[in-house]
Amino acid sequence: MVDREVTFDFGRRARIGLAEAVLCDGKSVAQIEHIVALSQRRDHALLLTRLAPAAFAALDQGCRKVLDYDPVSHTAILGSCPAPAGPADVAVVSAGTSDVPVAREALRTLAFHGAAADEVLDVGVAGLWRIMERHEQLTSYRAVIVVAGMDGALFSVVGGLVGGVVIAVPTATGYGAAHGGTTALHAALVSCAPGVVVVNVGNGYGGACAALRVLGTTRADQQR
Amino acid sequence: MVDREVTFDFGRRARIGLAEAVLCDGKSVAQIEHIVALSQRRDHALLLTRLAPAAFAALDQGCRKVLDYDPVSHTAILGSCPAPAGPADVAVVSAGTSDVPVAREALRTLAFHGAAADEVLDVGVAGLWRIMERHEQLTSYRAVIVVAGMDGALFSVVGGLVGGVVIAVPTATGYGAAHGGTTALHAALVSCAPGVVVVNVGNGYGGACAALRVLGTTRADQQR
Amino acid sequence: MVDREVTFDFGRRARIGLAEAVLCDGKSVAQIEHIVALSQRRDHALLLTRLAPAAFAALDQGCRKVLDYDPVSHTAILGSCPAPAGPADVAVVSAGTSDVPVAREALRTLAFHGAAADEVLDVGVAGLWRIMERHEQLTSYRAVIVVAGMDGALFSVVGGLVGGVVIAVPTATGYGAAHGGTTALHAALVSCAPGVVVVNVGNGYGGACAALRVLGTTRADQQR
Amino acid sequence: MVDREVTFDFGRRARIGLAEAVLCDGKSVAQIEHIVALSQRRDHALLLTRLAPAAFAALDQGCRKVLDYDPVSHTAILGSCPAPAGPADVAVVSAGTSDVPVAREALRTLAFHGAAADEVLDVGVAGLWRIMERHEQLTSYRAVIVVAGMDGALFSVVGGLVGGVVIAVPTATGYGAAHGGTTALHAALVSCAPGVVVVNVGNGYGGACAALRVLGTTRADQQR
Amino acid sequence: MVDREVTFDFGRRARIGLAEAVLCDGKSVAQIEHIVALSQRRDHALLLTRLAPAAFAALDQGCRKVLDYDPVSHTAILGSCPAPAGPADVAVVSAGTSDVPVAREALRTLAFHGAAADEVLDVGVAGLWRIMERHEQLTSYRAVIVVAGMDGALFSVVGGLVGGVVIAVPTATGYGAAHGGTTALHAALVSCAPGVVVVNVGNGYGGACAALRVLGTTRADQQR
Amino acid sequence: MVDREVTFDFGRRARIGLAEAVLCDGKSVAQIEHIVALSQRRDHALLLTRLAPAAFAALDQGCRKVLDYDPVSHTAILGSCPAPAGPADVAVVSAGTSDVPVAREALRTLAFHGAAADEVLDVGVAGLWRIMERHEQLTSYRAVIVVAGMDGALFSVVGGLVGGVVIAVPTATGYGAAHGGTTALHAALVSCAPGVVVVNVGNGYGGACAALRVLGTTRADQQR
Amino acid sequence: MVDREVTFDFGRRARIGLAEAVLCDGKSVAQIEHIVALSQRRDHALLLTRLAPAAFAALDQGCRKVLDYDPVSHTAILGSCPAPAGPADVAVVSAGTSDVPVAREALRTLAFHGAAADEVLDVGVAGLWRIMERHEQLTSYRAVIVVAGMDGALFSVVGGLVGGVVIAVPTATGYGAAHGGTTALHAALVSCAPGVVVVNVGNGYGGACAALRVLGTTRADQQR
Amino acid sequence: MVDREVTFDFGRRARIGLAEAVLCDGKSVAQIEHIVALSQRRDHALLLTRLAPAAFAALDQGCRKVLDYDPVSHTAILGSCPAPAGPADVAVVSAGTSDVPVAREALRTLAFHGAAADEVLDVGVAGLWRIMERHEQLTSYRAVIVVAGMDGALFSVVGGLVGGVVIAVPTATGYGAAHGGTTALHAALVSCAPGVVVVNVGNGYGGACAALRVLGTTRADQQR
């Protein structure tokens, strides 16, 4: 009986302002279908992450039909997202083309929670003029999510340019001494710019959740 | 000539709202004395971190006299700190007695920038009732800096209880498989609570800078 | 000649009270079929672990027919299990849905040896109320097997709540800094709760064997 | 004010049957003196671990006088230990002379809680006859704490000989590829004997706490 | 033109008494076929290692026909092996069924060079009586190649029992903290038995070459 | 007899254009004194690296007198350096004050070989304007040695700005996830700027030797 | 809309003399096709690296037709390469057959930029005479790119023989303790020959770019 | 009572032909003095390794007087060594001056067991002519112990030149990516020369014991 295997935390959004997301890695098709069906019955919106195209394709048709699936970010959304209000307070900045899937996971997470966000693409440090041209724009956000792999040099460059919260999301881009994102992760942690904060390698969802916490819509005193 | 060795970044506070701090590890006595003298002549306030008692004692008397030194956090401050205004928007939570020095580095950094902060001590997870009693208090802050070593279980517990920004500062507390704080660092990065952000092991200064970015006093648009 | 390749340790159960299990990873189809046939001829019950569905499907039909296979835990049992006597002295607690396969390996191993056990699911630390509700129940077991991945925060939480033997079984759940279960493993080893013991990542079988040793049915003085 | 820095968990013994121990590594002289004074005022017995001779010598005379200090194991005890009742149910087995300090930490922890224990010394695997001679004796204990460094081969040898709980305590004995105890730790985790459990490198205290949990005196249902 | 890509070291056997072997991992089908054809034309015997069944099947029929392929050890031999003379001076000892492929690579390498060898199977340490029964036999060899994974406890046990050269060949058997053979490798390097020597993980070929060097047939002064 | 322990490679300068340097780490006082005396007798100039002030002070007075010692870079020179001819073709760029000792080792090595070089200090990425102001200057060198620790972001920034050879020398500046320079090293190896080359952590000597190879004065065809 | 995802750095060749190459690992078929089409429209030559045969085969026919694809090195070139002028100033030396693909990536990169280069194959250290025979030839190049895996002994051997720039390109050849090229990488970094420089594991492209920087055709002052 | 802490394995020499050596690292002064006194009373010769000069100086005068101490290798010998008979069958080859202490530990161990050995110094690979000149000499030994740090290139060079047993003893010489000898260790394990065997970093004692096993004086059948 699959049912008793899932005690879904439907109360999390009320408690900390962030809906529980379903990390699909390591879950069986039956488990995912069950969670979606359960949420649908209770009329809960749901965000699924790390749902690879092959895993999405393996879901039954009824399940697939109710999900809004994005093959770039490997995310799916059940239910509708709140319309974003006002100008964007968050930017998602990515270093190169290979970092786009992680940046998109962050953008989808922000959209799911109704937060407006801007996307800034292909501003890697090897061509420094690309990020310098965006300097003034970047100083206007309350949070900047920076998505970069390889040596993660972009984290320090952005951290030295802007005063908002800088959230580093390392990616696995690169090979050899990139060590699957570990080098970018460590670089973010020892950034020479003060106060840069870091989430796990490839965790666009976590970077977005951190930005939502910054916006303050998540805290108890804001929800009253 | 020592002078030309230091191109101090006095403009950083204007640019990103955070004063440059001097990491004293790996700097010679002469270099530290020089930086302090230079700052004093230009009437700049200055925060020095990782200044061990023995290194402080090795400074010449004139230098020591102008510094406000705290042997617990290994920090020194040149010049006066702005008076904090209003109730505390930040809390610094530590798991155990051995984590206090890092927590104090965060508190000193916040004080140096004029930010009010509360301190919550000895709320490690092995005695869970200690943190549960503080639950309601913790939900009121815009940022909670959590300082913990060993298995870093406190990061997830706090991250699951509050909606504000949760900044994990891992410490080197523990031995063997604690790997000098690496286990707590990794635990913070893979926290099961969404949106927990992380800074380097033992980096109380960085955790505080991140909190200052959250408060928004650091951004260009706030400074006008 | 395959036969001489296997000197199966049929005497182990007599010696230390635990039957030898066959770790199927890294064994060929022919070797597994041979071991099963040999055991069947000698009327020995047999537990096979890490037998993936594809590997099970590759066995010849005669072999498959005599095995009781469970695709969730990747275990197979040859022969009948002793009926469990009395109330459960062991609980198997898991943090999330992705940890269920390992938890089930532990439960199957306990059943194979005739030990009654309870299963407690989905009590991860991010929703702390879930484990707190089970506090009293958990204090009644002689051994609690805790199965968790990611940051392994559940090990310390349970270790601080109960006085029985707490056996941590880390899992590979998570990605990036989860390092395939190494972070959860290290967290278990440096748990801030005293006396938590640890087995290898994903080793539900080993966790169950440890619990059987706790129950004392394995010792020589008990077997007389 | 040192006092508010320590919220000592005096209730732990009532809750899980194990008194809180003070890990002295990373604590200042003032903090240790304070904890001892506080415990003495409340008439609590106290176990201090990892208190190096130099750190003990730095304590004030009044503090030193009330402590029973053992320089081999680096432990100190405040107050009297309960007299052990009945024959020993636990053995502490060590591989070589360099492992003795860790073995003694385990023995002191057992004594502090009133548990009788036997000590078996110098039974390393390179001279296999030494452990073989003790085979029958070892099968009589409910828990055997095995303390070994280098390649940790003793863990598997004991685990294959006895049916009681085998608790591996790896040590840092050895150099180079011993990696400060990590090789012995990993060897324990992948022991070819089933159900061997492991604690942190050098954690004699933790090994003893695990044995106390096995004896069952720690559980709520036993304490009534 | 493939031809110029291979400057095969046909003189090695003359120089150091060991024929060059072809490590097929990372070589293309065309390169392997070319090397075999070249050797055949020059009437050189050839040993190929790490030639997986799928790679062997991909070779053209002419090539496959001249090779003596063994699917267990993934080795192929071109040409005939010298007949072994006299009783075996080398033993190949393996801990468990999963270690057999590596043990067979060693045996095939010995056979290729005409050295007689005995095989001792399934003598892992968890059932210590299995190796103890072979004690006297093992003392008669000039070299004992020990093949074991997991915690590599067998290396120390054999090293403490016999006075001949003990060559440890770690294998990747095990999972989690076995780290793909690294734990067994490190255990071999810090063996508590003196003078145990070690080759790379899974390198049965290298272990056999070392034994051949021990037998002394490889040295210049022997070849005259 | 110390003499036979040192077969100094006096012919190296003739062979590859680089004089052998003496790495003093791990050498005894007697060995260093012996090498200096031997070189002096043969009228060979000599460069000593990693000679800590305490080690220099321990040398006998005669030895100290003939050495030109620099306590910042821990280098000593025996004999006179060739006068540099023409404008500088090499620049040594360092990120921060703590990187100066390594930068100075590079400068001393260049001076020892008679190569003119410019020093550019304190141009870390957190204050990006500092390196941007030097852009035009940096494009004029044939080789730029970049010395940086922490996240090594400066390597990619310089590598993206200039077309000469960019030699990254990582340093151990930083703590925690800086891992003693390993993070900066890995960052250099996966730099997003093409063709950046790397030497060992802290190896200012090696970086300078590489620059000397670039200048071409080292090659056989140049020396005729 | 794929178009806005790629801000290709067409200006890089003008700025630092090296054309931007497209690392195809981690890019989708659509992204690669888009970049090729964009470059073709703007009449830019383009080098694509790490384009596996399967990925090349998945491109649409129009795209495949305009590319000059090399299945050994996994590189593709769009547009024509400048004809190399004069004798080769660079050599690419490889240790064994398995290192050829990386060596070929370097050769293709050099050809793409119009630099003449010689290829020296199969000169691994186990047959030392092979590299010794090439000694005189090797001293004539301005840069020698050395491609080797396993223990990387060839880097030191070449570095000790020649005075030109020696660029070590470690490869993943080998298994077990080869750690996917990390051992060869570390060996290159601690080479006992002075001034050997290193690029990432398998980075033939980077090694070639470094050589191009050595030739000086990349620098601003050369381009006028 | 120290006495019962040491069950010295006096029978080892009879069993495997190698006397037990005392690794003094991690043993207290009292323990070392006790072992020496015990051995002296029983008239056993004894080899002590890793006895640093400061530890030797701390022993009581009576103990120091009976020991033959060598400060270079940190070894001490109690009792007289058998006179070596016949020409040397073993050579100890070291790469550089910093490797001498480890080489000497091997030589002292050989002398302690009465084996004649030759010493070959300073034949590092950066000056290849040094080892080439010794080629013919090296082919005459039954075992060659090669002691080298940094990149360990010497292991492959010797392994490719001689047919005797080649025993690699890696050392910690070098810094940064030398990782305390791990790089040399890994290089030895993946040597491109076949049949090179390896012992732990810095384990000159172990290398010598392996050579003694090669000489065959250790085996049971030889001792009759």
Side-chain angles (χ1 to χ4, degrees), chain C residues 15-16 18 140-142 159-166 189-190 194-195 197-200 205-206 209-210 213-214 218-219, chain D residues 15-16 18 140-142 159-166 185 189-190 194-195 197-200 205-206 209-210 213-214 218-219:
Chain C
R15 208 168 61 248
I16 62 168
L18 295 164
S140 68
Y141 299 103
R142 290 183 60 191
L161 291 176
V162 311
V165 178
V166 177
L189 288 164
V190 295
V197 292
V198 188
V199 298
N200 197 9
Y205 164 72
C209 285
R213 287 174 181 264
V214 172
T218 57
R219 288 186 309 131
Chain D
R15 209 168 59 249
I16 62 167
L18 295 164
S140 68
Y141 300 102
R142 293 184 58 192
L161 291 176
V162 311
V165 178
V166 176
L185 170 64
L189 288 164
V190 295
V197 292
V198 189
V199 297
N200 198 8
Y205 164 73
C209 285
R213 288 175 181 264
V214 171
T218 57
R219 288 186 308 129

Side-chain angles (χ1 to χ4, degrees), chain A residues 9 12 15, chain B residues 156 160 192, chain C residues 122-132:
Chain A
D9 189 5
R12 185 172 295 174
R15 209 169 60 249
Chain B
S156 281
C192 47
Chain C
D122 260 317
V123 291
V125 166
L128 202 57
W129 53 270
R130 296 181 291 193
I131 188 72
M132 298 303 277

Side-chain angles (χ1 to χ4, degrees), chain A residues 38-103:
Chain A
L38 194 64
S39 298
Q40 200 180 8
R41 277 206 300 278
R42 300 194 183 186
D43 211 22
H44 268 86
L46 196 68
L47 174 66
L48 299 97
T49 62
R50 305 217 152 208
L51 179 62
F56 176 71
L59 298 176
D60 66 46
Q61 199 183 349
C63 185
R64 286 206 310 277
K65 215 174 53 187
V66 297
L67 294 177
D68 162 22
Y69 182 66
D70 171 38
V72 172
S73 61
H74 292 194
T75 55
I77 291 175
L78 171 74
S80 59
C81 306
D89 261 343
V90 181
V92 179
V93 175
S94 58
T97 306
S98 304
D99 304 317
V100 165
V102 175

Side-chain angles (χ1 to χ4, degrees), chain B residues 16-116:
Chain B
I16 63 167
L18 295 166
E20 182 167 359
V22 179
L23 175 69
C24 296
D25 257 7
K27 289 198 177 61
S28 67
V29 162
Q31 289 175 325
I32 297 171
E33 288 170 352
H34 176 73
I35 293 171
V36 170
L38 194 65
S39 298
Q40 201 180 6
R41 275 206 303 278
R42 300 191 182 190
D43 212 22
H44 268 88
L46 196 68
L47 174 66
L48 299 97
T49 62
R50 304 219 152 206
L51 179 62
F56 176 71
L59 297 176
D60 66 46
Q61 200 184 347
C63 184
R64 286 204 311 276
K65 217 172 53 185
V66 298
L67 294 178
D68 163 22
Y69 181 67
D70 171 38
V72 171
S73 61
H74 292 193
T75 55
I77 291 176
L78 171 75
S80 58
C81 305
D89 261 343
V90 181
V92 179
V93 175
S94 58
T97 307
S98 303
D99 303 317
V100 165
V102 174
R104 288 284 159 83
E105 186 184 280
L107 287 161
R108 290 271 285 180
T109 302
L110 292 166
F112 177 71
H113 287 88

Side-chain angles (χ1 to χ4, degrees), chain E residues 15-16 18 140-142 159-166 189-190 194-195 197-200 205-206 209-210 213-214 218-219, chain H residues 15-16 18 140-142 159-166 185 189-190 194-195 197-200 205-206 209-210 213-214 218-219:
Chain E
R15 209 168 60 248
I16 63 168
L18 295 165
S140 69
Y141 299 103
R142 291 183 59 192
L161 291 176
V162 310
V165 178
V166 177
L189 288 164
V190 295
V197 293
V198 188
V199 298
N200 197 8
Y205 164 73
C209 285
R213 288 175 180 263
V214 171
T218 57
R219 289 186 307 130
Chain H
R15 209 169 59 248
I16 63 167
L18 295 165
S140 69
Y141 300 103
R142 292 183 58 193
L161 291 177
V162 310
V165 177
V166 176
L185 170 64
L189 288 164
V190 295
V197 292
V198 188
V199 297
N200 197 8
Y205 164 73
C209 287
R213 288 175 180 263
V214 172
T218 57
R219 288 187 308 130

Side-chain angles (χ1 to χ4, degrees), chain A residues 150-152 176-179 181-190, chain B residues 182 200, chain F residues 99 148-153 155 168-191 198-203, chain G residues 182 185-186 189-190 200, chain H residues 175-180 182-183:
Chain A
M150 303 180 92
D151 61 353
H179 288 306
T182 297
T183 294
L185 171 64
H186 288 171
L189 288 164
V190 295
Chain B
T182 297
N200 197 9
Chain F
D99 303 318
M150 303 179 91
D151 60 354
F155 305 134
V169 186
T171 72
T173 303
Y175 57 89
H179 289 304
T182 297
T183 294
L185 171 65
H186 289 171
L189 288 163
V190 294
S191 169
V198 188
V199 297
N200 197 8
V201 174
N203 192 4
Chain G
T182 297
L185 171 65
H186 289 170
L189 288 164
V190 295
N200 198 8
Chain H
Y175 57 87
H179 290 305
T182 298
T183 294

Side-chain angles (χ1 to χ4, degrees), chain D residues 99-203:
Chain D
D99 303 317
V100 166
V102 175
R104 288 285 159 84
E105 187 184 278
L107 287 160
R108 289 269 286 179
T109 302
L110 292 166
F112 178 72
H113 287 88
D118 289 340
E119 187 174 9
V120 178
L121 292 160
D122 261 315
V123 291
V125 166
L128 204 58
W129 52 271
R130 295 182 292 194
I131 188 73
M132 298 303 276
E133 286 177 2
R134 306 296 196 105
H135 184 177
E136 194 174 325
Q137 175 190 344
L138 291 175
T139 58
S140 68
Y141 300 102
R142 293 184 58 192
V144 180
I145 299 172
V146 185
V147 181
M150 302 180 91
D151 61 353
L154 190 57
F155 304 135
S156 281
V157 168
V158 174
L161 291 176
V162 311
V165 178
V166 176
I167 302 164
V169 185
T171 72
T173 302
Y175 57 88
H179 290 306
T182 297
T183 294
L185 170 64
H186 289 170
L189 288 164
V190 295
S191 168
C192 46
V196 170
V197 292
V198 189
V199 297
N200 198 8
V201 175
N203 191 5

Side-chain angles (χ1 to χ4, degrees), chain E residues 13-107:
Chain E
R13 195 161 203 164
R15 209 168 60 248
I16 63 168
L18 295 165
E20 182 167 0
V22 179
L23 174 71
C24 296
D25 255 7
K27 290 201 177 58
S28 66
V29 162
Q31 289 174 324
I32 296 171
E33 289 170 350
H34 175 74
I35 293 170
V36 169
L38 193 64
S39 299
Q40 201 180 6
R41 276 206 301 278
R42 300 192 183 189
D43 211 22
H44 267 88
L46 196 68
L47 174 66
L48 299 97
T49 62
R50 305 218 151 207
L51 180 63
F56 176 70
L59 297 175
D60 65 46
Q61 199 184 347
C63 184
R64 285 206 310 277
K65 217 174 49 187
V66 298
L67 295 177
D68 162 22
Y69 182 67
D70 171 36
V72 171
S73 61
H74 292 194
T75 55
I77 291 175
L78 171 74
S80 59
C81 306
D89 261 343
V90 182
V92 179
V93 175
S94 58
T97 307
S98 305
D99 304 317
V100 165
V102 174
R104 287 283 159 85
E105 187 184 278
L107 288 160

